[in-house]
Amino acid sequence: MNMSSNFCAIDFGTSNSAVAVPQAGAGMRLIELEPGQRTMPTAVFYYAEGPHDADGPPRAFGRAAVAAYVDGHDGRLMRSMKSILGSPLIDQTTDVGGGRGAKYADIVAGYLKRLRRLAGEPERVVLGRPVFFVDGEPERDASAQAQLEACARAVGFREVQFQYEPIAAAFDFEQQAIREGKGEQVVLVADIGGGTSDFSIVRVGPERMQRLARRDDILASHGIHIAGTDFDRHIELAGLLQEFGYRATGPSGREVPSGIYFDLATWHLINTCYSPLRVAEWRGMKSWFNDVRQHARLMTVLEERLGHELAARAEGAKIAVSGGEDTTVDLSHVEPGLVLALSEKTAVDALRADLDRIIATAHETVALAGLKAQQIDALYFTGGSTGLRLLVDGMAAGFPAAARVSGDRFASVATGLGLHARRLFAPEA
């Protein structure tokens, strides 16, 4: 690999990741991370059994990781690893099955190593980052970026650069707009993924596209740590876990403690629900429940380690209602014949506060740029959660004069990061 091609761009997402590399001639291309797939779930499954190799303990990545979990292999599934950045957990060791432990930092690094290998092991990288890893805490936010950089360097990247994810998406929009013969525009990029909702106001256009320094074109950036995984959690709490005792009261009139339910609805905390001490504690709390069937269902989830599957059913229900229809959730793996109805109204009520905060953040971004809503020429939607009709329609309603453009929900950021990497590392190409 020559130096002009010895680089890549990585969109390390909360839910999915993608990688762009140089292509022959000019430009960048997204590589296949799994057969026929240019994006890969940000997931790692640690097998409880099997020998270590040069890369560490036996693992599966992406869809194979999710499949290993669903197929019932003994081990531990790790998802939403990006949400660990900036927290004290990064240096802690967690049980990954079979009596083995792994530091969270090594789990993140192992996933990045997989991406680097698939990219041909380049030495330079542009990594995407949210506007804020951590809301309202600049020191933790800076720490999160430093932790991610350390993980990237640990797996062989010698030069690491960062670019904000919504700004990368703006570069992708700009390229499309120029192909369509559009002139200069002011675009509000809404990058709403699994972990964060990020916004940027960017000035784009044919005369600006080739400039490496685009700082003056970034009129404002803002974000909030609310996105798809939060939607999943609210759907699970409101639509599923009430059948397991969430918000239930017992014979004494006391409400069943809610901590276990919040942990079951939070991907990186689910495994904490399975500790022998915690399971024993809840086994002894049957008398707290008026409906002992709810306690039995909860114990089935805890004892058979069904929390991740329950969360996956909640995510599927969210997707099913995103188009505005009611759905049902099959929970027969917990209790034979258990099927729950989930209405769009229940979903709307569960998500309303989060959707309102996200939409308000978009308008705050416009205000930070010193602009009015009517001065925005286009709304560019990217990120997996922009498939939620309630969110996209609600945001577009506040910008009636703006063109509504949807990018590749899972690849726009990686494409834009690749454009930036090409300009940064191979400006002569």
Side-chain angles (χ1 to χ4, degrees), residues 29-113:
R29 64 181 178 87
L30 299 185
I31 62 173
E32 281 194 2
L33 299 179
E34 295 177 297
Q37 302 290 340
R38 298 184 305 162
T39 63
M40 182 168 74
T42 309
V44 184
F45 184 85
Y46 282 78
Y47 290 98
E49 298 180 351
H52 281 58
D53 58 24
D55 290 332
R59 287 164 293 177
F61 298 87
R63 290 171 181 82
V66 177
Y69 171 78
V70 172
D71 290 343
H73 288 277
D74 190 16
R76 181 174 178 187
L77 177 67
M78 302 293 296
R79 293 188 68 178
S80 302
M81 292 99 73
K82 190 175 181 179
S83 62
I84 295 166
L85 296 171
S87 79
L89 284 174
I90 194 71
D91 293 318
Q92 295 183 14
T93 297
T94 185
D95 176 24
V96 293
R100 296 169 170 149
K103 283 188 175 182
Y104 283 105
D106 293 335
I107 294 169
V108 173
Y111 187 83
L112 291 178
K113 186 173 185 178

Side-chain angles (χ1 to χ4, degrees), residues 375-397:
Q375 294 175 280
I376 302 299
D377 298 309
L379 302 178
Y380 187 60
F381 293 100
T382 187
S385 294
T386 55
L388 191 64
R389 181 185 62 84
L390 302 169
L391 176 59
V392 173
D393 288 351
M395 190 173 301

Side-chain angles (χ1 to χ4, degrees), residues 315-344:
E315 181 183 11
K318 175 197 70 176
I319 294 169
V321 300
S322 66
E325 298 180 357
D326 298 346
T327 190
T328 58
V329 186
D330 183 0
L331 297 177
S332 56
H333 65 297
V334 177
E335 178 185 291
L338 181 61
V339 178
L340 305 181
L342 179 67
S343 68
E344 184 193 20

Side-chain angles (χ1 to χ4, degrees), residues 132-216:
F132 299 113
F133 281 103
V134 183
D135 294 334
E137 298 186 50
E139 291 184 3
R140 284 185 60 197
D141 185 77
S143 177
Q145 178 171 308
Q147 291 165 1
L148 183 55
E149 180 175 349
C151 289
R153 292 186 180 278
V155 301
F157 287 113
R158 296 177 59 187
E159 183 175 353
V160 181
Q161 301 287 341
F162 287 91
Q163 180 56 273
Y164 290 123
E165 291 156 358
I167 293 172
F171 295 156
D172 182 49
F173 169 82
E174 180 177 59
Q175 183 174 248
Q176 295 180 37
I178 291 173
R179 283 200 299 263
E180 295 170 1
K182 302 286 180 63
E184 184 171 304
Q185 299 181 75
V186 176
V187 58
L188 167 58
V189 178
D191 179 11
I192 305 170
T196 59
S197 294
D198 289 330
F199 301 94
S200 288
I201 309 295
V202 186
R203 187 183 289 111
V204 301
E207 295 182 0
R208 301 177 180 277
M209 184 177 183
Q210 298 304 322
R211 297 192 306 166
L212 181 60
R214 300 293 298 269
R215 181 179 295 274
D216 291 346

Side-chain angles (χ1 to χ4, degrees), residues 237-250:
L237 288 167
L240 278 68
L241 289 177
Q242 293 193 20
E243 296 297 323
F244 295 76
Y246 174 57
R247 288 192 162 178
T249 55

Side-chain angles (χ1 to χ4, degrees), residues 261-274:
Y261 300 102
F262 284 102
D263 291 350
L264 279 173
T266 306
W267 266 97
H268 65 278
L269 296 178
I270 290 173
N271 279 80
T272 66
C273 301
Y274 304 146

Side-chain angles (χ1 to χ4, degrees), residues 400-415:
R404 179 168 159 176
V405 182
S406 293
D408 186 320
R409 288 193 288 133
F410 299 107
S412 292
V413 170
T415 299

